[in-house]
């Protein structure tokens, strides 16, 4: 079966500080690495205000978070087979603050959050210390798969500052 396209959109003020094409490629590599490349993923890069509203509405938590995942399989089962895995929403301002605090490029932080969100869509959680360790290991694996150099288009994957 041919891979389904990943949709990546930006909803925020100004220009997106990371390449949407790069995020799409990295998401597709993560799907391939998790043997889910037959599924479709939607990624929204947004601002703090938007993700706070989602967090309040869907989780009952009235604060900004870095990433939210919405699985198509949550709730009642669909009466039909769907190629859509779900949606990942990432706050770029929050990601930028976390990247600055850890002295890493924004693109790396967004890639990490993308992997974290994807693992939630695949059923992973971090409610216990055992789950958290397992999820951290799997997140690192997905980030590595997404950022391997040498794949098609890897040389062009840069954020707006020119850093990978």
């Amino acid at each position: 079966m041919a891979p389904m396209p990943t949709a990546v959109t930006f909803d925020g003020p100004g220009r997106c500080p990371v390449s949407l094409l790069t995020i799409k490629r990295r998401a597709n590599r993560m799907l391939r690495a998790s043997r889910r490349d037959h599924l479709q993923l939607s990624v929204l890069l947004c601002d703090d205000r938007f993700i706070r509203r989602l967090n309040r509405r869907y989780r009952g938590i009235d604060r900004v978070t870095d990433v939210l995942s919405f699985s198509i399989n949550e709730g009642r089962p669909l009466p039909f087979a769907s190629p859509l895995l779900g949606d990942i929403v990432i706050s770029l301002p929050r990601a930028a603050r976390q990247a600055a605090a850890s002295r890493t490029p924004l693109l790396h932080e967004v890639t990490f959050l993308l992997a974290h969100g994807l693992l939630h869509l695949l059923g992973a959680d971090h409610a216990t210390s055992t789950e958290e360790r397992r999820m951290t290991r799997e997140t690192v694996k997905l980030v590595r798969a997404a950022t391997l150099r040498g794949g098609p288009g890897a040389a062009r994957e840069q954020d707006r500052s020119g850093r990978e």
Side-chain angles (χ1 to χ4, degrees):
M1 179 178 273
M4 298 297 291
T6 294
V8 180
T9 55
F10 170 67
D11 181 15
R15 194 168 168 223
C16 186
V18 293
S19 163
L20 299 182
L21 181 58
T22 297
I23 299 305
K24 179 177 181 165
R25 286 180 177 147
R26 289 184 174 193
N28 286 334
R29 287 179 189 154
M30 288 181 195
L31 286 169
R32 197 169 26 252
S34 62
R35 293 178 170 75
R36 301 296 200 296
D37 56 340
H38 60 285
L39 297 175
Q40 185 178 7
L41 181 64
S42 169
V43 180
L44 172 64
L45 306 175
C46 67
D47 62 15
D48 283 346
R49 186 172 170 223
F50 187 81
I51 205 164
R52 182 178 182 170
R53 282 192 314 230
L54 290 177
N55 205 20
R56 180 176 51 237
R57 180 173 181 183
Y58 294 102
R59 296 181 63 223
I61 301 172
D62 189 15
R63 68 173 189 254
V64 173
T65 189
D66 50 9
V67 61
L68 291 172
S69 298
F70 299 94
S71 173
I72 195 71
N73 295 317
E74 288 180 13
R76 294 188 329 177
L78 296 174
F80 55 89
S82 173
L84 181 61
L85 180 59
D87 304 309
I88 297 173
V89 182
I90 298 172
S91 167
L92 284 177
R94 177 74 180 254
R97 289 190 298 275
Q98 290 172 183
S102 63
R103 295 188 173 129
T104 60
L106 176 58
L107 181 57
H108 178 77
E109 183 67 19
V110 171
T111 302
F112 178 86
L113 294 172
L114 179 64
H116 184 90
L118 177 58
L119 286 169
H120 277 301
L121 291 179
L122 297 175
D125 203 354
H126 46 78
T128 68
S129 58
T130 301
E131 290 174 335
E132 186 170 352
R133 283 190 302 275
R134 185 179 313 124
M135 192 162 177
T136 299
R137 277 193 313 271
E138 293 304 313
T139 301
V140 169
K141 286 179 187 177
L142 287 178
V143 168
R144 280 189 192 133
T147 58
L148 281 178
R149 295 191 182 269
R156 295 185 301 270
E157 291 190 4
Q158 299 177 344
D159 65 16
R160 298 281 187 238
S161 68
R163 296 179 300 203
E164 171 83 37

